[in-house]
Amino acid sequence: MGDRIRGRFAMVMRAKRVSLLDIGLDSSFDAAMTFVQSTLQNINAEHQQPIVDIDFVRSRDPDTVLTAFTASCDVLHVMAHGDHSSTPTFASSDGRTKISLEALGEEAAARGRGISAHAILADGCRTGTGAWQKAVRDCLQDEVTYIGTSAQIGWHESGVFCSAFYGALFRNRGRGMTPAEQAQDAAERAIEAYTLLTDRNCPFRVLTLSPSRWARMALA
């Protein structure tokens, strides 16, 4: 009886969807995204059925990027340079591709659909500042767990945090938690693991963001 119940439970468990969006567009970002994909594939390898579906987008086409930003998923993982010299912007290494959150919010409002992920991992430099938080809120469809950074980061910082985050997210299924709460719990565990492994403060920060008043009106 116990095996039968476990079998039925496994059949109805929904695989989490992770959307990987590479806007950095150079060999280093390619290597970093390959590392993240390998981590997720290794997690799937431990199970008879995949527990994570992976969408991977690398593009300069604005429509393709916008679609990736607004697609429903559990985790939207954006890897890019974080630029906030004028307005919070995800940028490629060569500067040819720039996605400002201001423009993203306006385009999302025109299409009637904002970011609808349960969690956003903004994997770039200084994406956790107040300016970024405010800009992200203008793009949100619903409340999300937001993970950003408080400093300049490199591939080592990103790799250590991401491996710990996804390991915690899929090792601890968080029964009784919402998907956003599961992501927050995983991020908090990853921050603790990062500090333990590196003996340094973790540059990643996690918080809950709600749609701004403008977003609630524009994306209703």
Side-chain angles (χ1 to χ4, degrees):
M1 177 67 72
D3 290 340
R4 185 177 301 173
I5 292 175
R6 282 192 293 271
R8 290 176 179 174
F9 180 75
M11 290 178 65
V12 299
M13 285 291 290
R14 180 185 67 85
K16 290 184 180 295
R17 182 170 297 278
V18 175
S19 180
L20 304 176
L21 178 54
D22 175 11
I23 302 178
L25 302 173
D26 71 10
S27 58
S28 295
F29 281 98
D30 185 25
M33 273 299 187
T34 298
F35 172 78
V36 173
Q37 290 181 80
S38 296
T39 298
L40 295 173
Q41 289 165 355
N42 286 337
I43 291 170
N44 271 339
E46 298 179 358
H47 301 269
Q48 291 183 342
Q49 294 181 335
I51 64 171
V52 52
D53 292 329
I54 307 166
D55 293 334
F56 176 50
V57 176
R58 176 185 288 122
S59 177
R60 292 187 185 275
D61 178 65
D63 286 337
T64 300
V65 173
L66 178 66
T67 298
F69 264 110
T70 57
S72 296
C73 60
D74 291 283
V75 179
L76 172 61
H77 184 160
V78 185
M79 193 175 285
H81 292 288
D83 179 13
H84 59 278
S85 54
S86 56
T87 184
T89 300
F90 289 113
S92 62
S93 293
D94 59 12
R96 290 172 52 197
T97 300
K98 294 185 177 182
I99 306 296
S100 76
L101 294 185
E102 181 180 359
L104 175 63
E106 292 174 353
E107 185 63 23
R111 300 190 182 196
R113 182 177 180 82
I115 297 175
S116 58
H118 297 300
I120 302 171
L121 173 49
D123 197 353
C125 295
R126 300 188 183 279
T127 57
T129 63
W132 275 83
Q133 294 173 32
K134 182 178 183 298
V136 169
R137 293 183 64 222
D138 285 340
C139 303
L140 297 181
Q141 190 82 28
D142 298 296
E143 184 176 275
V144 302
T145 291
Y146 181 73
I147 306 165
T149 62
S150 59
Q152 297 286 118
I153 63 169
W155 305 120
H156 175 74
E157 290 84 359
S158 174
V160 171
F161 178 83
C162 289
S163 58
F165 171 71
Y166 286 116
L169 183 63
F170 292 102
R171 178 66 66 181
N172 177 18
R173 299 309 297 264
R175 293 182 178 85
M177 295 182 179
T178 66
E181 290 170 340
Q182 291 177 32
Q184 178 159 348
D185 177 71
E188 291 171 349
R189 291 171 183 265
I191 291 169
E192 293 176 0
Y194 182 101
T195 302
L196 180 64
L197 289 169
T198 66
D199 199 28
R200 295 182 178 181
N201 291 331
C202 181
F204 286 84
R205 300 288 183 267
V206 58
L207 66 156
T208 300
L209 292 182
S210 301
S212 65
R213 181 179 180 183
W214 179 88
R216 288 196 298 268
M217 296 174 61
L219 301 174

